[in-house]
Amino acid sequence: MAIIIQIVMLAIAALVFGKQFDFVAVVGVVAAESVFQLLSIYAYRNTKEAASIGMTMQLLADILFLTILLDLTGGATNAFVSLLVLPTVIAAVTIPTINMLMVSAGAIGAYLYLYIKMSHEHVHHMDMSTHLLGMLVNFTFTIIVVVTVVSILVKQNRKKERAIAMLREQQLQQEQLIALGSAAAQATHQLATPIAHLALLHEELEESYPKDPCVQEMSEPLGKCKEQLNVFREFTEYLKSASKQMITAEHLAEQLKELTNLQFPRQHFRFDITNVQGGCAMILC
C-alpha cells in the first residue's frame, strides 16, 4: 500500500503540479523497493510473525528507499519528509528497544543526509540554511519525543495485559480448585456413609464373634479406609479454601509413598531427592 501511495503521489506531483524530477531514477527506486518487498513476502511466506531482526531490516529498508525518493524529489524541502517519523513509530511498537534505537538513528541519519546535501546547494542563502537547520532540530526532537512516549505507553500497556492475564489465570485456577473441592467433598460424603455402616457392622460382629479370624482381619482394612477417608476430608477442605501451601520435597515424597503403598502394595518405590541449582529434583524409581 505504501508503494502504491508513492506511485500515486509521484504521478500527481508530475502531472498536476508539474514538478520536475529524474523520472527514470524515481521509477528505478520504486521498482527496487517493490522487488525487496516481494522478496520479503517470499522469505516470510511460511511464518505468521516476522522476527525482530527481520522487522528491523524491513524498517531500515523503508527509510533507505524513502530517503532516496526524497533526495530525488526535493530533498529536505519535500513536504513528505516527515514520513521518516513513521518507521520509528512502528519500531517503538513492534521491536525491542535496541532495534528501535537503530531505526530511530537511521531516520535521523537520513534526515541529516538530506539536510547536509540541501545546505550545500543553498550555501549562499543564509535564511534557507537557518530554516533547514531548524527543520533538522525539529525533526530530531520529534523523533525523540515520539519514540519515548510511544515506548512508554507500549510498555505500560503490556504490563497491564500481563497483570490482567495473571489475574485471569489465578481466578481460573481458584475456580478449578473450588470445583474440584466440591467434587471431592461429594465423593468423600458418598464414601463416608458406607464405611461408617461397615464399621458399625464390624463392631456388632466383634461383640458376637470376638474370636473369629475373619472378623479380626477386617479391623485393619477398615482402619485404613477410615484413615484414607480422613485424608480425603483434609484434602477436600484444602481445595475448598483455594489457598496455596508450601511443602517440602521430602513431605511430598512421603505422601506419594503412602498413596502408592495403598494402591500398589506389592510394588516398591524409591525416591531420590537431590538439589539442582538451588532447587530440588525428585526422581521416582
Side-chain angles (χ1 to χ4, degrees), residues 231-275:
V231 174
F232 287 160
R233 284 172 177 168
E234 293 177 359
F235 188 66
T236 299
E237 294 299 326
Y238 168 72
L239 290 177
K240 283 184 176 180
S241 64
S243 60
K244 296 181 180 180
Q245 181 181 0
M246 298 293 294
I247 62 173
T248 62
E250 291 82 359
H251 182 57
L252 177 61
E254 188 65 27
Q255 289 183 339
L256 290 174
K257 186 176 181 180
E258 292 178 0
L259 292 174
T260 51
N261 288 337
L262 179 63
Q263 299 294 330
F264 309 99
R266 296 183 179 181
Q267 302 295 328
H268 298 282
F269 294 89
R270 179 172 60 88
F271 299 92
D272 292 335
I273 302 176
T274 57
N275 291 325

Side-chain angles (χ1 to χ4, degrees), residues 122-137:
H122 297 273
V123 65
H124 299 296
H125 299 276
M126 186 62 64
D127 294 338
M128 190 63 182
S129 299
T130 305
H131 175 70
L132 291 175
L133 179 59
M135 291 178 61
L136 174 62
V137 174

Side-chain angles (χ1 to χ4, degrees), residues 15-32:
L15 300 177
V16 177
F17 297 100
K19 296 292 183 180
Q20 300 294 328
F21 50 81
D22 191 342
F23 181 79
V24 176
V26 169
V27 172
V29 174
V30 174

Side-chain angles (χ1 to χ4, degrees), residues 170-213:
Q170 292 176 359
Q171 183 179 3
L172 181 60
Q173 290 177 352
Q174 291 179 354
E175 291 176 355
Q176 291 175 344
L177 288 175
I178 293 174
L180 185 59
S182 300
Q186 184 178 0
T188 303
H189 178 71
Q190 292 176 352
L191 288 174
T193 302
I195 290 176
H197 184 63
L198 289 174
L200 291 175
L201 292 176
H202 180 256
E203 291 178 359
E204 294 179 359
L205 289 173
E206 282 184 333
E207 294 177 358
S208 301
Y209 309 97
K211 297 183 180 181
D212 192 313

Side-chain angles (χ1 to χ4, degrees), residues 131-197:
H131 175 70
L132 291 175
L133 179 59
M135 291 178 61
L136 174 62
V137 174
N138 177 67
F139 180 83
T140 305
F141 179 75
T142 302
I143 289 287
I144 295 173
V145 172
V146 168
V147 168
T148 303
V149 172
V150 172
S151 299
I152 293 175
L153 292 177
V154 169
K155 289 181 179 179
Q156 290 180 348
N157 188 37
R158 289 175 180 172
K159 287 182 179 180
K160 291 180 180 179
E161 290 179 353
R162 286 196 294 266
I164 293 173
M166 290 180 63
L167 288 176
R168 289 178 179 174
E169 184 178 357
Q170 292 176 359
Q171 183 179 3
L172 181 60
Q173 290 177 352
Q174 291 179 354
E175 291 176 355
Q176 291 175 344
L177 288 175
I178 293 174
L180 185 59
S182 300
Q186 184 178 0
T188 303
H189 178 71
Q190 292 176 352
L191 288 174
T193 302
I195 290 176
H197 184 63

